[in-house]
Amino acid sequence: MCVNKCSKINSADNDSSGARNNDENNKQNTNNNNNNTNNNNNKQNNNKKEMVMLSAKEFTQLYQLVYEMMTDFGVQMKGETYRRYLKEIQRFVQQSVVARLDELVARKVDAERFCREFSAMWPRFKTFVKGMVNVFGYLERYFIPKQIERHAPGVRKLKDKAYAVYRVLVVNKYAPTVVDYVVEQVRADRHDEDIDKDTVQRCIEVFMQVGELEENALEVYQKLLEKPLLEMTTLHYARVATSWVDKHGLADYLKLAEVAIGKETAMSSTGTGYVPQESQSVLLKCVWTQLLLEPLEQLITKESGLALLLTTRRIDDLKRLHTMCQMFEGGLEPVREHVIKHVRSLGASILTKHLTTSSSSSSTEPPQSKAGSSDNVKKNKKKNDKGDDEMVSIGSGSSMVQQVIELHQHYQEVIRAAFKKDVAFQSALTLAFRSFLNERSAVHRHLAVYAHHLLRKTSKLALDRTEQMLDQILFLYEYIDDKDLFDVTYQTLLADRLLHDSFRSEHVEKAVIGKLRARSGYAWTNKLQGMFTDVKVSKELMDAFSKWKEDASSSSSSSSSSSSSSSSLTSSSSAYSAVKLDVTMCTSAYWPSVKSMPFHMPTELVAPTEQYVQFYVGHRPGHKVQWRMDFGQADVDVVFAPGVRKTLVVSTLQMMVLLAFNNETINSSNNDSNNNNSSSSAERSSKRPSGVLSFGDMLTITGVPEAELANHVMSLAHPASGKVLLKKPNNASLARGHLFRLNAKFTSKRNRIPIPLLDVVKHQHAKAKEERATVMIQRRHIVDTRIVRIMKTRKTLDHNSLLTEVIDQVRARFKPDVRFVVKRIQHHVGEEEFLRRDNNDRKLYHYIA
C-alpha cells in the first residue's frame, strides 16, 4: 500500500487534544514524532522519494486511527477530518507536481520534455489518491454519503474532490502549453512528420481522465483541448480542400479525401491511435465537412464531376462517393438532388429532340394500324433487311422510347451497383422520370405504340429480349400520372393486333396483361382479357358457321356467298366470285368504345353478311349484330389490265373504294332505292369516261364520312403503294371533284401486295382528341363512383375531406384536376341529388339514401 506519510493525522489529533485522555495524547505524540521524522527525510531526499510502501500493519494502524476519530467524536470532528484530507491533497499537488513543473518552466525546457513530465505526474497522483481513499475509507462510506444527501456545500466523494483539486491547480494552469504542444504534434503528423505519439497520447489522457468523475466526463477535454484541435483541423482541411478542388476532378479528389479520412480514423483507432475514440466522431465530422460537404457542390457540378461519373458508369468512383457521403446524416442529399437534376435533364432533352421533330409527322401512329404493313414498302424494307433494330421502321417516336428505356436501364444499373440499391436514390430515379415523362402529354401514346411494335409478328427481337423491353416499358408506365390515356391507346392497338391476327405470342400478350393488372387493377385489364376471349369464341363460331352452311347447302340447292372484314374478292366486269367470310364478334363492353361509323354495305357483301346474321341470331338469341367496316381487312383481286391480276391486302374501306370501280357495282349503286343518289350518279357517269370516279362519287357509293375515307383513298394513290389509283390533279390535296381511276400500268414483282395505310396528321390529331374525350367521360364516371361510394360509407363528410379522399382514390389511374372533382361534387349536390348540404354548415355534406 502506497501513501504519503505526512502530518495530516498529527494535525487532526492536535485539534482534539482537549477531548482525549493522556494515554491517547501520548499515542498521538508518538505518531506525530514518527510523521515529523518521515517529513524531514522527504525534504532531505529533495522529494526524490515522495511515497513509501506501507506494510499491512502500518496501513491497519492508520485505518484504525481514522476509524476511532470518526466514531469517538462528533460531526464537527468528522467535518474537520474531511477538510484536513482536502488540505493534504492540495499540499501534495503543490509540493510534488506544481513545484516540479514550475521548475521546468523556469529552466525553459522544450515543450516535448515539459509535456513528458506533465503526463508522468498524473499516474503518480492517481496512485496517491487511491492510497488516501483507502486510508479514509470509513469517512468515504459513512460520513460523505449522509452529507451529500443533506446537500452540504462543497462535499463530494474523496476521489472526486482530489481530481477537482488537480484540475484547478495543475491542468488549468499548464493547459495552454500542453494544448499548443498537442495541436502542433497533430499538425505535424498530418504532414507525415515523425512525432512522439506516446507523449501526445498521455497528455490527452490527462485531459480525458481528470474530468471523468464530473457530470460531463468530457467537459475538461472538450473545453481545453478538443476545441482548439477542431479549430486547427478546420483551417487545415479547408486549405487542403481548396488546393485539391483546383487541381483535381471529382474522381481523383475522392481518392485523396478517402486517404485523408482513413488517416484521421487511424489516429483514434484502438492500439495505434492517440486521439481518444470518444472524440473520433466529432473530429471525423469536422474533416468530412471540410473535405466533402463544403466543396461538394463545386465538385459535382464541375465538367469532370458527377455527371461524367454517371454518364460513363464509373462504378468504383461512384461507390466511393456514396460510401464517403453517407458517413454522416445529410451527406447524400446533395448527391441525390444532383442525380435528379441530371437524369431529368437527359430525359427532357430526349423528349424535346424527338417530340418537336415528330409532332408534325406520323411517327406516333403505327405504320399499319388498319391494314397492311409498312415493312413491305420498299424503302422501309431495305432498311430492315440490313438487320437494324425494329425502331428503324417505327419512327422517331419509338426511337425516343428506346432512348428513354436505355436511360432507365443505365441508371437502374448504376443505382444497383454503385449506390447499393439505396432507397433514397431509387426514389430519386422515380422522381426524375416522373418529372420529365409527365411534362409531355404525348409520352403515353409513344409508349403504347412502342409496345405495339414489340408485340407484333413483324418484330425482329428475340422473345426473351422482347420481354425485357416490355418490362422496361411497364416501369415507365408506373411513372406516368395519366395511366388511363396509355390504357386507351394500348387497348386500341391490342384490338388492331387481334383483329388482324398480327400478335406475335399469346403467352407474351397475356403476360403483359397480368403485369398491367398488378399496376392498374382488375377493372381495365379484365377488358383486355375479354378481347382475347372474344377472338377465341369467334373462331369457334366461324367453325360452327361453316358447318351450318354445309348443312344448309345439303338441304337446299341454293348457295349463298359470304363476305367479311377479311375477304378475298375477284374483281371483274361481269360477276364476282364467292366471298370467304371471317368474322370476329366483339363484345362492346370489352373493345375500344369508338363511335360507330355510317356506311353502305357493298352489294357483294349483302348476302353473306345477312347469312351470318341469321346464323348468329339463331345461336345467340337476343344479341344484336352491328358491322364495323373501319376495323376490317380484305384480300382483293384486282385486274389492272389484260393479263395483269394482283391481290391487294387492303382495309375494308379501301376494299369498298375498289369495288366501286366495278361497272356492276356502279350500276347497282345507280339503281339503288335511294333515288336522289341514283340520279346524281347517273348524270356524273354520262359526263366522264367509264372506270373514272370522283372522290364525291366514292363518298356517295360507300356512305363513309369524308374524314374517315380520305386517308384510305389517298393511301391507294400514294407512290408508297405503287399508285394503285391515279389521281387528277396529281397533288397532295383532296377535294370532292378530284378524279380517280385504276392504274392500268401498275406493276409489281409480287402477286400479293400489302397496301400501307398512310397517316394524315390532321386525322391523327382528331383521333387523339376523340380518345381524350373518351377518357374524360371515363374519368367522370370514375370520380362519380368514388364520390357516391365514399359518402355512402361515411354518411356525413366535410368538403375538404371528401375532396382529399376522392383524389387519393383516383390518383392510381390519373392525376385529377381539383376543379373537375369539385364540379362533380356540385353535380351530385344539385342535379343527381345524392348529396345535400348541411343547413348550418354549407361545407358539410350528407348522403341521401
Side-chain angles (χ1 to χ4, degrees):
M1 177 66 202
C2 295
V3 65
N4 190 40
K5 300 182 72 174
C6 57
S7 61
K8 177 179 180 181
I9 306 301
N10 179 36
S11 300
D13 290 341
N14 288 335
D15 291 337
S16 58
S17 57
R20 297 179 61 88
N21 55 35
N22 292 333
D23 292 338
E24 290 175 341
N25 288 335
N26 293 334
K27 190 181 215 180
Q28 290 173 356
N29 290 334
T30 302
N31 290 331
N32 288 339
N33 292 332
N34 292 333
N35 288 333
N36 290 333
T37 302
N38 288 330
N39 287 334
N40 292 332
N41 291 334
N42 288 335
K43 292 178 181 180
Q44 293 175 357
N45 293 322
N46 295 322
N47 293 326
K48 290 183 180 180
K49 191 176 180 180
E50 297 171 350
M51 291 184 292
V52 296
M53 297 296 298
L54 293 179
S55 64
K57 182 178 180 180
E58 291 175 322
F59 173 77
T60 302
Q61 292 175 350
L62 289 174
Y63 186 87
Q64 181 68 24
L65 180 60
V66 172
Y67 170 76
E68 292 175 356
M69 292 173 60
M70 297 299 297
T71 55
D72 294 346
F73 298 95
V75 176
Q76 182 177 0
M77 184 59 187
K78 296 174 182 178
E80 184 62 24
T81 303
Y82 179 80
R83 288 190 291 273
R84 291 296 181 178
Y85 163 82
L86 177 59
K87 186 175 181 180
E88 183 60 24
I89 294 292
Q90 293 173 341
R91 187 200 63 78
F92 175 83
V93 171
Q94 289 286 357
Q95 293 182 0
S96 302
V97 180
V98 175
R100 175 59 179 166
L101 294 178
D102 285 343
E103 179 186 354
L104 295 176
V105 172
R107 291 166 52 188
K108 298 182 179 181
V109 299
D110 59 84
E112 182 173 344
R113 182 179 176 185
F114 178 85
C115 290
R116 191 179 295 117
E117 288 288 339
F118 173 85
S119 61
M121 295 293 184
W122 174 246
R124 296 163 64 187
F125 174 76
K126 290 195 298 181
T127 302
F128 170 74
V129 171
K130 183 179 180 181
M132 292 290 289
V133 169
N134 288 335
V135 171
F136 288 86
Y138 194 83
L139 181 70
E140 174 85 349
R141 286 193 297 272
Y142 296 102
F143 172 72
I144 294 177
K146 293 180 181 179
Q147 295 300 312
I148 293 177
E149 288 180 2
R150 297 170 184 173
H151 303 287
V155 177
R156 299 175 62 184
K157 291 185 177 181
L158 299 180
K159 186 177 180 180
D160 294 2
K161 199 68 175 179
Y163 279 24
V165 170
Y166 195 88
R167 183 182 64 189
V168 172
L169 297 181
V170 179
V171 176
N172 290 349
K173 181 177 181 180
Y174 303 104
T177 302
V178 178
V179 169
D180 289 345
Y181 170 77
V182 172
V183 170
E184 183 59 34
Q185 291 296 295
V186 174
R187 181 187 291 109
D189 189 26
R190 286 172 176 160
H191 287 89
D192 297 326
E193 299 177 11
D194 293 333
I195 65 170
D196 186 354
K197 294 183 179 181
D198 292 338
T199 300
V200 173
Q201 184 177 9
R202 287 195 297 270
C203 288
I204 294 176
E205 286 177 353
V206 174
F207 289 90
M208 292 288 296
Q209 296 175 6
V210 76
E212 65 182 5
L213 302 178
E214 302 291 338
E215 184 176 353
N216 180 7
L218 298 177
E219 180 180 2
V220 177
Y221 168 76
Q222 291 172 343
K223 182 179 179 180
L224 298 179
L225 181 56
E226 186 181 67
K227 185 177 179 181
L229 186 60
L230 292 178
E231 291 175 353
M232 183 274 292
T233 301
T234 300
L235 294 175
H236 172 75
Y237 281 108
R239 290 193 295 267
V240 169
T242 301
S243 175
W244 288 354
V245 168
D246 294 337
K247 296 178 181 178
H248 304 285
L250 178 59
D252 293 335
Y253 183 96
L254 291 174
K255 294 176 182 177
L256 294 172
E258 184 179 42
V259 172
I261 292 177
K263 188 174 181 179
E264 292 294 330
T265 303
M267 287 172 56
S268 56
S269 61
T270 304
T272 59
Y274 53 87
V275 176
Q277 290 187 335
E278 293 83 353
S279 184
Q280 183 185 49
S281 60
V282 179
L283 185 63
L284 288 180
K285 186 173 183 179
C286 178
V287 176
W288 175 84
T289 300
Q290 297 304 318
L291 283 183
L292 287 176
L293 187 59
E294 293 294 337
L296 186 58
E297 186 67 26
Q298 183 179 356
L299 283 169
I300 61 181
T301 55
K302 291 178 69 174
E303 184 177 350
S304 57
L306 182 57
L308 177 64
L309 302 187
L310 292 170
T311 305
T312 56
R313 200 179 297 187
R314 303 269 289 274
I315 301 299
D316 291 339
D317 293 326
L318 290 171
K319 277 184 179 179
R320 185 176 294 109
L321 175 65
H322 181 266
T323 301
M324 295 175 68
C325 287
Q326 72 175 356
M327 291 174 60
F328 295 96
E329 184 178 358
L332 288 173
E333 189 59 27
V335 182
R336 179 180 178 273
E337 291 296 329
H338 191 76
V339 169
I340 293 175
K341 293 179 182 179
H342 175 70
V343 176
R344 181 192 297 152
S345 175
L346 292 179
S349 64
I350 293 174
L351 299 190
T352 301
K353 175 183 176 182
H354 291 281
L355 293 185
T356 53
T357 57
S358 64
S359 60
S360 59
S361 66
S362 58
S363 59
T364 57
E365 181 72 6
Q368 51 178 32
S369 61
K370 299 288 178 72
S373 170
S374 63
D375 292 341
N376 294 286
V377 180
K378 294 180 179 179
K379 181 177 179 181
N380 287 338
K381 186 176 185 303
K382 289 180 180 179
K383 291 182 179 180
N384 290 338
D385 289 343
K386 294 179 181 179
D388 294 338
D389 289 341
E390 188 187 17
M391 69 180 186
V392 171
S393 63
I394 295 178
S396 61
S398 295
S399 177
M400 177 204 75
V401 176
Q402 177 72 23
Q403 292 184 29
V404 172
I405 288 176
E406 291 174 353
L407 182 70
H408 190 257
Q409 288 177 321
H410 176 91
Y411 285 98
Q412 268 190 322
E413 176 62 23
V414 168
I415 291 174
R416 184 194 66 78
F419 298 148
K420 304 173 185 177
K421 296 182 180 180
D422 193 320
V423 175
F425 285 92
Q426 289 177 339
S427 65
L429 184 64
T430 299
L431 182 61
F433 272 82
R434 281 187 182 277
S435 177
F436 74 81
L437 286 177
N438 290 293
E439 288 178 354
R440 301 296 187 100
S441 59
V443 171
H444 71 276
R445 184 169 182 81
H446 286 289
L447 290 177
V449 171
Y450 191 76
H452 173 64
H453 284 272
L454 291 174
L455 292 167
R456 292 182 64 182
K457 289 180 179 179
T458 54
S459 175
K460 294 183 178 181
L461 292 177
L463 278 177
D464 56 345
R465 176 60 176 163
T466 298
E467 292 181 359
Q468 292 175 6
M469 297 298 289
L470 289 171
D471 287 341
Q472 288 297 320
I473 291 177
L474 292 176
F475 267 116
L476 301 181
Y477 171 77
E478 290 185 353
Y479 300 145
I480 298 176
D481 289 337
D482 296 329
K483 293 181 175 60
D484 52 352
L485 293 175
F486 172 92
D487 297 345
V488 169
T489 306
Y490 185 87
Q491 185 182 21
T492 302
L493 298 176
L494 175 60
D496 176 77
R497 294 195 297 276
L498 294 178
L499 292 176
H500 297 112
D501 193 26
S502 62
F503 59 91
R504 185 179 182 186
S505 168
E506 183 176 351
H507 169 73
V508 176
E509 291 276 5
K510 292 186 176 181
V512 173
I513 293 175
K515 293 174 182 177
L516 286 172
R517 181 180 293 115
R519 293 165 171 82
S520 297
Y522 176 79
W524 172 65
T525 52
N526 183 52
K527 295 182 179 181
L528 305 185
Q529 191 65 46
M531 293 166 67
F532 274 96
T533 303
D534 282 347
V535 172
K536 181 179 179 181
V537 172
S538 296
K539 292 179 180 179
E540 296 173 355
L541 285 173
M542 286 309 301
D543 293 338
F545 177 58
S546 298
K547 185 177 180 181
W548 181 82
K549 284 196 303 180
E550 292 176 1
D551 295 341
S553 177
S554 62
S555 61
S556 174
S557 58
S558 60
S559 60
S560 58
S561 52
S562 327
S563 157
S564 106
S565 53
S566 179
S567 314
S568 178
L569 302 177
T570 302
S571 163
S572 67
S573 61
S574 59
Y576 58 87
S577 63
V579 177
K580 182 181 179 182
L581 193 67
D582 189 5
V583 181
T584 301
M585 300 303 296
C586 304
T587 305
S588 59
Y590 295 151
W591 295 74
S593 56
V594 182
K595 185 178 179 181
S596 179
M597 181 192 69
F599 68 94
H600 297 155
M601 182 68 74
T603 305
E604 294 87 344
L605 302 181
V606 171
T609 54
E610 289 180 352
Q611 189 181 31
Y612 184 84
V613 171
Q614 181 183 358
F615 156 78
Y616 185 78
V617 173
H619 278 69
R620 301 286 180 91
H623 285 227
K624 181 181 177 181
V625 177
Q626 184 181 31
W627 297 99
R628 294 296 303 269
M629 303 300 286
D630 51 337
F631 280 110
Q633 179 176 301
D635 290 1
V636 182
D637 285 349
V638 180
V639 179
F640 290 95
V644 181
R645 177 190 290 266
K646 300 293 181 181
T647 299
L648 304 182
V649 182
V650 295
S651 68
T652 48
L653 295 183
Q654 289 174 327
M655 175 198 69
M656 295 170 67
V657 171
L658 292 174
L659 289 177
F661 284 92
N662 288 336
N663 290 332
E664 293 81 4
T665 304
I666 297 174
N667 292 334
S668 64
S669 298
N670 292 334
N671 295 327
D672 193 82
S673 58
N674 190 346
N675 294 328
N676 57 347
N677 288 342
S678 175
S679 60
S680 62
S681 297
E683 181 181 356
R684 282 190 297 270
S685 297
S686 63
K687 294 181 180 181
R688 66 174 67 96
S690 176
V692 176
L693 291 176
S694 68
F695 181 54
D697 293 333
M698 296 176 184
L699 294 174
T700 301
I701 295 169
T702 62
V704 179
E706 181 177 351
E708 293 290 338
L709 192 62
N711 197 38
H712 296 262
V713 173
M714 291 298 289
S715 297
L716 290 171
H718 196 277
S721 66
K723 287 194 173 183
V724 174
L725 300 180
L726 296 178
K727 179 179 177 293
K728 185 179 181 181
N730 186 18
N731 54 34
S733 63
L734 182 62
R736 286 176 174 266
H738 291 182
L739 303 178
F740 294 86
R741 64 179 175 86
L742 287 174
N743 182 8
K745 297 181 180 181
F746 180 85
T747 59
S748 176
K749 295 181 180 180
R750 305 175 63 183
N751 291 325
R752 190 173 183 273
I753 307 168
I755 302 301
L757 180 60
L758 304 179
D759 299 323
V760 178
V761 175
K762 293 182 179 178
H763 174 69
Q764 294 306 324
H765 287 176
K767 187 173 182 179
K769 290 181 180 179
E770 184 179 352
E771 288 182 354
R772 183 168 286 275
T774 302
V775 169
M776 292 307 298
I777 293 175
Q778 294 175 353
R779 289 184 178 182
R780 186 183 67 192
H781 294 329
I782 293 173
V783 171
D784 288 348
T785 303
R786 297 299 188 276
I787 291 173
V788 174
R789 183 182 298 171
I790 292 171
M791 290 304 301
K792 189 174 182 179
T793 303
R794 304 290 291 275
K795 303 301 181 183
T796 300
L797 202 62
D798 65 274
H799 175 79
N800 290 335
S801 298
L802 176 59
L803 185 65
T804 301
E805 287 197 34
V806 172
I807 291 175
D808 289 341
Q809 290 192 19
V810 303
R811 184 172 287 141
R813 299 289 299 138
F814 60 90
K815 187 176 181 179
D817 182 12
V818 176
R819 291 174 297 180
F820 175 74
V821 178
V822 171
K823 185 176 180 180
R824 299 313 304 166
I825 294 175
Q826 302 306 323
H827 175 78
H828 286 286
V829 174
E831 298 180 19
E832 296 293 337
E833 295 185 351
F834 283 110
L835 308 177
R836 68 173 179 85
R837 295 183 185 273
D838 187 84
N839 295 330
N840 299 322
D841 186 355
R842 300 292 292 172
K843 293 185 178 181
L844 193 64
Y845 300 116
H846 300 283
Y847 176 72
I848 302 176

